[in-house]
Amino acid sequence: MWDFIKHISLKEFAKTYYFSLSVLLFICIAICYGCEVNYLNQSICNAWARDLFLNLIAEIIGILLVLFFVNRSVTINQQQEKSRFRQIAFRQLKMVLTRHVYLLFYMLKASVEVKPNKTYENLSDLFDDTYFNELGNLDLFKVAPVLTPRGNTMNWLDYIYSEFSSLKSAISKVMDRYSFSLDSEEVDLLEEFNDTAFIYFISVLREAKELNNFEVRGDLLSECEHLLREYTTFFLRIVDLYNHSLPSKSQIKIDSSKWNELWSNNVKPQIGESRIEFLSQPYV
C-alpha cells in the first residue's frame, strides 16, 4: 500500500514539474519573441537578458527531454515488471484450467450416443448447440472417470463440484496475491466467473445430495441450459485471458489431433456411458 501511495505521489509530482517547466519555457519564448519584434521595452531586451532567456530555453528543453526519456524508461520497466507478475499469476492456473477443459469435454462424451459429426479445431468449437442439448442427458449420479485421493470412485456430481471448487479457489488466490498486476477489467472478469450461477447451482445440488434430499435427480443439467451457456462463455474468456498473458509454449491449446485422441474409446469415459436411461423417472 505504501509503495502504491509513493507511486501516485511521484506521478503527481512529475506532472506538476512538467507543467511548471512548460510554463517557464513558454514565458521565456514569449519574451525572446517580444524582443525580436520590438514589442517589449528594450531595457528588458538588452544583450545579456536576451542571452539569459535563450540559455534558459535551451536548459529547460534539455531538462524536459531528459525527464521525458527517464519517465518513459521507468514506465517501460514498470510495464515489463507488471507483465512478469501477470505471467507468474496466470501460470498458476494452467493445471486447473486444463483439467477443467477435460471435465467439460468428458461431460459431453459421456452424454452423447454417438460422436457428433463435426470437426473440432479449438476449444470454442466444443460449446455448440449439440453440447448444451446433450449435456441434459448426463446422469450426475453415475460413476465419473476419476478416483478420489483414496482411490474410491466418485459420481459426476462430486467430480464436477470438486473441479469447480478447485478452479474457484485458484482464481481467488490469484486475485488475492496478484491483483496489483491485473487491470480492473480482468479482476472484474475473474470475480464474475467465480460468482456465476452455474457454480452456485452445482453447489446447491451437491449440498442437497449430502443432506439426502430425495428430490435430487441425476438429470437436472437439463433444467439449466442457460446457466451452462453463461458459464462456458465466461470460461472461454478466462482461457483467452490466460493465453494472452503467457507465451505460446505455455498456452492452453487443443488442436484437432488432440480432439481425436480424446474422442477415442481408449480414453475414459466411453462415449455415452453416463447417459441417463429414464429421464421421466426421478432418482430416490
Side-chain angles (χ1 to χ4, degrees):
M1 178 60 74
W2 175 241
D3 289 338
F4 177 75
I5 294 174
K6 288 195 296 183
H7 173 70
I8 293 297
S9 299
L10 289 173
K11 187 175 180 180
E12 292 301 324
F13 174 77
K15 288 183 179 179
T16 303
Y17 199 59
Y18 275 124
F19 177 76
S20 301
L21 286 175
S22 299
V23 170
L24 183 58
L25 177 62
F26 175 79
I27 293 173
C28 291
I29 292 174
I31 291 175
C32 288
Y33 177 78
C35 292
E36 289 295 328
V37 298
N38 297 319
Y39 181 76
L40 297 178
N41 191 308
Q42 290 302 308
S43 62
I44 300 177
C45 301
N46 55 40
W48 70 268
R50 185 177 303 170
D51 289 342
L52 172 64
F53 287 121
L54 287 175
N55 287 335
L56 279 175
I57 291 173
E59 290 290 339
I60 292 171
I61 291 175
I63 292 172
L64 286 173
L65 287 174
V66 170
L67 286 176
F68 171 78
F69 287 112
V70 169
N71 186 61
R72 181 171 176 79
S73 177
V74 170
T75 300
I76 291 174
N77 288 336
Q78 289 176 340
Q79 290 175 343
Q80 291 176 341
E81 188 72 5
K82 180 179 179 179
S83 178
R84 284 193 289 269
F85 273 109
R86 284 171 59 86
Q87 291 188 26
I88 293 172
F90 284 108
R91 200 163 57 215
Q92 299 179 41
L93 295 178
K94 182 173 185 178
M95 182 177 294
V96 69
L97 284 175
T98 302
R99 290 206 319 261
H100 216 70
V101 170
Y102 291 152
L103 164 67
L104 295 173
F105 171 76
Y106 292 155
M107 290 168 67
L108 173 65
K109 185 179 180 183
S111 304
V112 296
E113 289 186 295
V114 294
K115 177 182 178 297
N117 185 23
K118 66 173 292 185
T119 300
Y120 294 86
E121 297 290 346
N122 50 57
L123 182 57
S124 60
D125 290 337
L126 178 62
F127 305 117
D128 56 9
D129 288 339
T130 297
Y131 182 89
F132 300 108
N133 292 333
E134 293 293 345
L135 247 62
N137 297 318
L138 179 66
D139 189 336
L140 294 174
F141 292 156
K142 285 192 174 181
V143 176
V146 292
L147 299 175
T148 66
R150 294 184 177 182
N152 300 321
T153 59
M154 63 168 57
N155 60 36
W156 278 98
L157 180 57
D158 289 338
Y159 177 31
I160 295 170
Y161 175 80
S162 175
E163 291 300 325
F164 278 22
S165 299
S166 295
L167 180 55
K168 185 173 182 178
S169 176
I171 289 176
S172 296
K173 287 181 180 178
V174 167
M175 288 193 293
D176 289 342
R177 296 177 182 177
Y178 301 101
S179 58
F180 63 89
S181 64
L182 304 177
D183 297 332
S184 59
E185 295 82 1
E186 295 167 343
V187 174
D188 187 52
L189 172 60
L190 295 175
E191 288 184 342
E192 282 191 276
F193 177 76
N194 271 0
D195 292 335
T196 50
F198 189 63
I199 293 179
Y200 178 73
F201 176 79
I202 293 297
S203 300
V204 170
L205 283 186
R206 187 170 184 276
E207 182 179 355
K209 181 182 79 74
E210 292 297 305
L211 295 174
N212 296 316
N213 188 322
F214 294 109
E215 295 181 0
V216 176
R217 308 193 321 268
D219 64 327
L220 284 180
L221 288 186
S222 61
E223 306 294 333
C224 60
E225 179 182 330
H226 64 292
L227 301 183
L228 185 57
R229 285 182 181 272
E230 177 194 48
Y231 181 81
T232 54
T233 299
F234 272 112
F235 181 70
L236 286 176
R237 291 175 62 189
I238 296 293
V239 173
D240 284 342
L241 176 59
Y242 170 88
N243 285 341
H244 281 97
S245 302
L246 289 166
S248 179
K249 64 179 181 180
S250 300
Q251 293 177 2
I252 298 174
K253 297 178 181 178
I254 303 182
D255 57 21
S256 56
S257 62
K258 183 63 176 178
W259 284 123
N260 290 333
E261 176 187 333
L262 291 173
W263 274 110
S264 170
N265 272 331
N266 294 325
V267 178
K268 291 184 177 182
Q270 303 291 306
I271 293 176
E273 72 173 23
S274 298
R275 188 176 177 86
I276 202 157
E277 297 175 3
F278 301 103
L279 288 175
S280 61
Q281 179 178 335
Y283 280 74
V284 294

